[in-house]
Amino acid sequence: MKMSVWHDRTGLGPKFPEDTEGIRNSLRSLDKNILNPLATKELPVVVGGFSQGGHMAMHVALNDCSNSNYNSTGSCSKKDNNSSTSSSKLESGNPRKNIQSCIKGCFVMSSYLHDDSNIYKIFSNENILPEVKLPLLMTHGTRDRMISSKWGEKTAKKLKDVGLDVRFKLIDGITSIQLVE
């Protein structure tokens, strides 16, 4: 069963494969229409989302690879950028890097990353380790019947294990619908 919102999902749960092509397309669209204009103005940005929107918010905040380098295998590579610098502080060759410099925080509600997520691949490869110093707040209701809080907890733990500043807040007795009310 396909579930399309920001990208396709083959099923709910971290064991299902991540749709790297769909995520790449969503990143391109978000970058072009929202994030690049903000980065050009060098405005501070906090990204967040609920459920699959939270999943995309984590990709927006934690993936500093150029869209052209974020390929369908889920791997990233940094390339040297020998382009001339402009009067702006922004780096002209890597739009994701410019966006990354403007993102100051990320929050997600009832969200998780897939076990095969590109984010884990990025942070587990020391050759391409991004310089991410932003805080990530993850919240999850204990009575969420759609997205298991265990999936969110597992994501938070894995992201902490690679050195990210993650705070996971479990909210007792709350469903996913109540989190957004």
Side-chain angles (χ1 to χ4, degrees):
M1 161 175 59
K2 265 188 161 178
M3 294 178 274
S4 296
V5 181
W6 287 98
H7 55 83
D8 290 334
R9 283 200 169 162
T10 56
L12 283 177
K15 300 237 180 276
F16 289 93
E18 190 168 74
D19 175 20
T20 55
E21 181 71 23
I23 290 167
R24 183 179 67 212
N25 290 336
S26 285
L27 278 173
R28 283 182 179 153
S29 179
L30 288 166
D31 288 353
K32 177 182 175 188
N33 297 306
I34 299 170
L35 298 168
N36 278 334
L38 294 173
T40 301
K41 295 177 183 175
E42 300 183 26
L43 296 172
V45 176
V46 174
V47 294
F50 170 75
S51 193
Q52 195 174 13
H55 180 261
M56 278 308 302
M58 287 188 277
H59 276 276
V60 166
L62 300 174
N63 183 351
D64 81 339
C65 294
S66 164
N67 285 330
S68 61
N69 292 338
Y70 184 51
N71 62 40
S72 60
T73 64
S75 63
C76 295
S77 63
K78 288 192 177 181
K79 56 185 176 182
D80 282 335
N81 178 17
N82 294 327
S83 62
S84 62
T85 57
S86 65
S87 59
S88 171
K89 291 185 256 178
L90 298 178
E91 187 178 319
S92 62
N94 186 340
R96 292 272 341 134
K97 192 74 164 174
N98 297 339
I99 289 164
Q100 187 69 47
S101 69
C102 293
I103 296 176
K104 304 302 180 194
C106 180
F107 67 92
V108 301
M109 300 175 285
S110 292
S111 298
Y112 67 95
L113 292 174
H114 295 266
D115 289 342
D116 71 341
S117 177
N118 186 56
I119 299 300
Y120 302 133
K121 293 173 187 173
I122 291 169
F123 286 94
S124 65
N125 185 341
E126 291 179 12
N127 296 326
I128 57 171
L129 190 63
E131 294 179 26
V132 176
K133 304 290 185 224
L134 61 93
L136 169 60
L137 172 63
M138 299 180 71
T139 64
H140 215 107
T142 60
R143 294 183 53 214
D144 188 334
R145 287 176 262 157
M146 177 78 73
I147 307 296
S148 170
S149 61
K150 300 269 187 247
W151 303 343
E153 285 180 290
K154 181 179 179 181
T155 296
K157 182 183 180 329
K158 288 176 85 170
L159 292 173
K160 281 181 186 178
D161 287 349
V162 295
L164 295 179
D165 178 12
V166 180
R167 180 173 174 220
F168 184 83
K169 175 74 172 150
L170 200 54
I171 304 171
D172 191 36
I174 299 295
T175 67
S176 59
I177 300 302
Q178 290 170 311
L179 276 173
V180 294
E181 289 179 344

PDB file of all heavy atoms in Angstrom, residues 14-29:
ATOM      1  N   PRO A  14       9.606   1.778  11.286  1.00  0.00           N
ATOM      2  CA  PRO A  14      11.000   2.028  10.913  1.00  0.00           C
ATOM      3  C   PRO A  14      11.631   0.927  10.066  1.00  0.00           C
ATOM      4  O   PRO A  14      12.641   1.158   9.418  1.00  0.00           O
ATOM      5  CB  PRO A  14      11.717   2.174  12.254  1.00  0.00           C
ATOM      6  CG  PRO A  14      10.833   1.492  13.242  1.00  0.00           C
ATOM      7  CD  PRO A  14       9.437   1.596  12.725  1.00  0.00           C
ATOM      8  N   LYS A  15      11.042  -0.265  10.027  1.00  0.00           N
ATOM      9  CA  LYS A  15      11.641  -1.371   9.277  1.00  0.00           C
ATOM     10  C   LYS A  15      11.386  -1.262   7.776  1.00  0.00           C
ATOM     11  O   LYS A  15      12.085  -1.875   6.986  1.00  0.00           O
ATOM     12  CB  LYS A  15      11.100  -2.694   9.799  1.00  0.00           C
ATOM     13  CG  LYS A  15      11.419  -2.902  11.277  1.00  0.00           C
ATOM     14  CD  LYS A  15      12.179  -4.162  11.510  1.00  0.00           C
ATOM     15  CE  LYS A  15      12.496  -4.360  12.958  1.00  0.00           C
ATOM     16  NZ  LYS A  15      13.681  -3.672  13.403  1.00  0.00           N
ATOM     17  N   PHE A  16      10.380  -0.471   7.367  1.00  0.00           N
ATOM     18  CA  PHE A  16      10.103  -0.305   5.945  1.00  0.00           C
ATOM     19  C   PHE A  16      11.167   0.594   5.314  1.00  0.00           C
ATOM     20  O   PHE A  16      11.669   1.501   5.958  1.00  0.00           O
ATOM     21  CB  PHE A  16       8.708   0.290   5.733  1.00  0.00           C
ATOM     22  CG  PHE A  16       7.604  -0.681   6.048  1.00  0.00           C
ATOM     23  CD1 PHE A  16       7.042  -0.711   7.313  1.00  0.00           C
ATOM     24  CD2 PHE A  16       7.155  -1.568   5.080  1.00  0.00           C
ATOM     25  CE1 PHE A  16       6.036  -1.610   7.612  1.00  0.00           C
ATOM     26  CE2 PHE A  16       6.153  -2.479   5.379  1.00  0.00           C
ATOM     27  CZ  PHE A  16       5.588  -2.498   6.642  1.00  0.00           C
ATOM     28  N   PRO A  17      11.494   0.360   4.035  1.00  0.00           N
ATOM     29  CA  PRO A  17      12.535   1.176   3.396  1.00  0.00           C
ATOM     30  C   PRO A  17      12.102   2.626   3.219  1.00  0.00           C
ATOM     31  O   PRO A  17      10.933   2.917   2.988  1.00  0.00           O
ATOM     32  CB  PRO A  17      12.755   0.496   2.041  1.00  0.00           C
ATOM     33  CG  PRO A  17      11.566  -0.357   1.813  1.00  0.00           C
ATOM     34  CD  PRO A  17      10.973  -0.671   3.149  1.00  0.00           C
ATOM     35  N   GLU A  18      13.079   3.508   3.337  1.00  0.00           N
ATOM     36  CA  GLU A  18      12.838   4.933   3.156  1.00  0.00           C
ATOM     37  C   GLU A  18      12.810   5.264   1.662  1.00  0.00           C
ATOM     38  O   GLU A  18      13.594   4.728   0.892  1.00  0.00           O
ATOM     39  CB  GLU A  18      13.955   5.710   3.857  1.00  0.00           C
ATOM     40  CG  GLU A  18      13.705   7.189   3.957  1.00  0.00           C
ATOM     41  CD  GLU A  18      14.680   7.857   4.899  1.00  0.00           C
ATOM     42  OE1 GLU A  18      15.858   8.023   4.529  1.00  0.00           O
ATOM     43  OE2 GLU A  18      14.271   8.205   6.010  1.00  0.00           O
ATOM     44  N   ASP A  19      11.912   6.143   1.271  1.00  0.00           N
ATOM     45  CA  ASP A  19      11.750   6.570  -0.118  1.00  0.00           C
ATOM     46  C   ASP A  19      12.746   7.696  -0.406  1.00  0.00           C
ATOM     47  O   ASP A  19      12.411   8.869  -0.368  1.00  0.00           O
ATOM     48  CB  ASP A  19      10.312   7.034  -0.350  1.00  0.00           C
ATOM     49  CG  ASP A  19      10.079   7.610  -1.733  1.00  0.00           C
ATOM     50  OD1 ASP A  19      10.873   7.330  -2.654  1.00  0.00           O
ATOM     51  OD2 ASP A  19       9.092   8.362  -1.884  1.00  0.00           O
ATOM     52  N   THR A  20      13.995   7.345  -0.709  1.00  0.00           N
ATOM     53  CA  THR A  20      15.032   8.363  -0.892  1.00  0.00           C
ATOM     54  C   THR A  20      14.733   9.268  -2.085  1.00  0.00           C
ATOM     55  O   THR A  20      15.009  10.463  -2.031  1.00  0.00           O
ATOM     56  CB  THR A  20      16.434   7.740  -1.045  1.00  0.00           C
ATOM     57  OG1 THR A  20      16.421   6.790  -2.108  1.00  0.00           O
ATOM     58  CG2 THR A  20      16.858   7.051   0.241  1.00  0.00           C
ATOM     59  N   GLU A  21      14.169   8.719  -3.143  1.00  0.00           N
ATOM     60  CA  GLU A  21      13.834   9.538  -4.320  1.00  0.00           C
ATOM     61  C   GLU A  21      12.756  10.562  -3.970  1.00  0.00           C
ATOM     62  O   GLU A  21      12.866  11.740  -4.312  1.00  0.00           O
ATOM     63  CB  GLU A  21      13.360   8.644  -5.470  1.00  0.00           C
ATOM     64  CG  GLU A  21      13.021   9.408  -6.738  1.00  0.00           C
ATOM     65  CD  GLU A  21      14.246   9.970  -7.428  1.00  0.00           C
ATOM     66  OE1 GLU A  21      15.361   9.466  -7.226  1.00  0.00           O
ATOM     67  OE2 GLU A  21      14.069  10.941  -8.190  1.00  0.00           O
ATOM     68  N   GLY A  22      11.713  10.131  -3.287  1.00  0.00           N
ATOM     69  CA  GLY A  22      10.639  11.042  -2.887  1.00  0.00           C
ATOM     70  C   GLY A  22      11.116  12.099  -1.899  1.00  0.00           C
ATOM     71  O   GLY A  22      10.705  13.258  -1.974  1.00  0.00           O
ATOM     72  N   ILE A  23      11.977  11.698  -0.975  1.00  0.00           N
ATOM     73  CA  ILE A  23      12.535  12.646  -0.007  1.00  0.00           C
ATOM     74  C   ILE A  23      13.388  13.679  -0.738  1.00  0.00           C
ATOM     75  O   ILE A  23      13.287  14.876  -0.475  1.00  0.00           O
ATOM     76  CB  ILE A  23      13.340  11.918   1.087  1.00  0.00           C
ATOM     77  CG1 ILE A  23      12.377  11.134   1.977  1.00  0.00           C
ATOM     78  CG2 ILE A  23      14.176  12.895   1.914  1.00  0.00           C
ATOM     79  CD1 ILE A  23      13.055  10.143   2.898  1.00  0.00           C
ATOM     80  N   ARG A  24      14.202  13.224  -1.683  1.00  0.00           N
ATOM     81  CA  ARG A  24      15.026  14.150  -2.463  1.00  0.00           C
ATOM     82  C   ARG A  24      14.153  15.148  -3.209  1.00  0.00           C
ATOM     83  O   ARG A  24      14.431  16.356  -3.212  1.00  0.00           O
ATOM     84  CB  ARG A  24      15.921  13.392  -3.437  1.00  0.00           C
ATOM     85  CG  ARG A  24      16.835  14.330  -4.213  1.00  0.00           C
ATOM     86  CD  ARG A  24      17.747  13.604  -5.181  1.00  0.00           C
ATOM     87  NE  ARG A  24      16.935  13.034  -6.221  1.00  0.00           N
ATOM     88  CZ  ARG A  24      17.225  11.892  -6.848  1.00  0.00           C
ATOM     89  NH1 ARG A  24      18.289  11.212  -6.529  1.00  0.00           N
ATOM     90  NH2 ARG A  24      16.441  11.429  -7.791  1.00  0.00           N
ATOM     91  N   ASN A  25      13.068  14.676  -3.801  1.00  0.00           N
ATOM     92  CA  ASN A  25      12.166  15.577  -4.524  1.00  0.00           C
ATOM     93  C   ASN A  25      11.499  16.576  -3.584  1.00  0.00           C
ATOM     94  O   ASN A  25      11.361  17.756  -3.917  1.00  0.00           O
ATOM     95  CB  ASN A  25      11.119  14.781  -5.295  1.00  0.00           C
ATOM     96  CG  ASN A  25      11.713  14.021  -6.463  1.00  0.00           C
ATOM     97  OD1 ASN A  25      12.762  14.381  -6.986  1.00  0.00           O
ATOM     98  ND2 ASN A  25      11.054  12.951  -6.859  1.00  0.00           N
ATOM     99  N   SER A  26      11.098  16.124  -2.402  1.00  0.00           N
ATOM    100  CA  SER A  26      10.500  17.038  -1.423  1.00  0.00           C
ATOM    101  C   SER A  26      11.514  18.058  -0.936  1.00  0.00           C
ATOM    102  O   SER A  26      11.186  19.237  -0.779  1.00  0.00           O
ATOM    103  CB  SER A  26       9.929  16.263  -0.228  1.00  0.00           C
ATOM    104  OG  SER A  26       8.727  15.628  -0.585  1.00  0.00           O
ATOM    105  N   LEU A  27      12.758  17.620  -0.697  1.00  0.00           N
ATOM    106  CA  LEU A  27      13.812  18.554  -0.281  1.00  0.00           C
ATOM    107  C   LEU A  27      14.038  19.625  -1.351  1.00  0.00           C
ATOM    108  O   LEU A  27      14.153  20.808  -1.033  1.00  0.00           O
ATOM    109  CB  LEU A  27      15.132  17.817  -0.014  1.00  0.00           C
ATOM    110  CG  LEU A  27      15.292  17.150   1.332  1.00  0.00           C
ATOM    111  CD1 LEU A  27      16.570  16.312   1.365  1.00  0.00           C
ATOM    112  CD2 LEU A  27      15.288  18.157   2.449  1.00  0.00           C
ATOM    113  N   ARG A  28      14.084  19.202  -2.597  1.00  0.00           N
ATOM    114  CA  ARG A  28      14.278  20.167  -3.683  1.00  0.00           C
ATOM    115  C   ARG A  28      13.159  21.201  -3.704  1.00  0.00           C
ATOM    116  O   ARG A  28      13.404  22.398  -3.869  1.00  0.00           O
ATOM    117  CB  ARG A  28      14.340  19.457  -5.028  1.00  0.00           C
ATOM    118  CG  ARG A  28      15.652  18.789  -5.290  1.00  0.00           C
ATOM    119  CD  ARG A  28      15.643  18.162  -6.662  1.00  0.00           C
ATOM    120  NE  ARG A  28      16.919  17.537  -6.921  1.00  0.00           N
ATOM    121  CZ  ARG A  28      17.079  16.519  -7.739  1.00  0.00           C
ATOM    122  NH1 ARG A  28      16.066  16.021  -8.397  1.00  0.00           N
ATOM    123  NH2 ARG A  28      18.270  16.005  -7.928  1.00  0.00           N
ATOM    124  N   SER A  29      11.934  20.729  -3.553  1.00  0.00           N
ATOM    125  CA  SER A  29      10.787  21.635  -3.582  1.00  0.00           C
ATOM    126  C   SER A  29      10.813  22.596  -2.391  1.00  0.00           C
ATOM    127  O   SER A  29      10.596  23.803  -2.543  1.00  0.00           O
ATOM    128  CB  SER A  29       9.492  20.824  -3.586  1.00  0.00           C
ATOM    129  OG  SER A  29       8.377  21.673  -3.585  1.00  0.00           O
TER     130      SER A  29
END
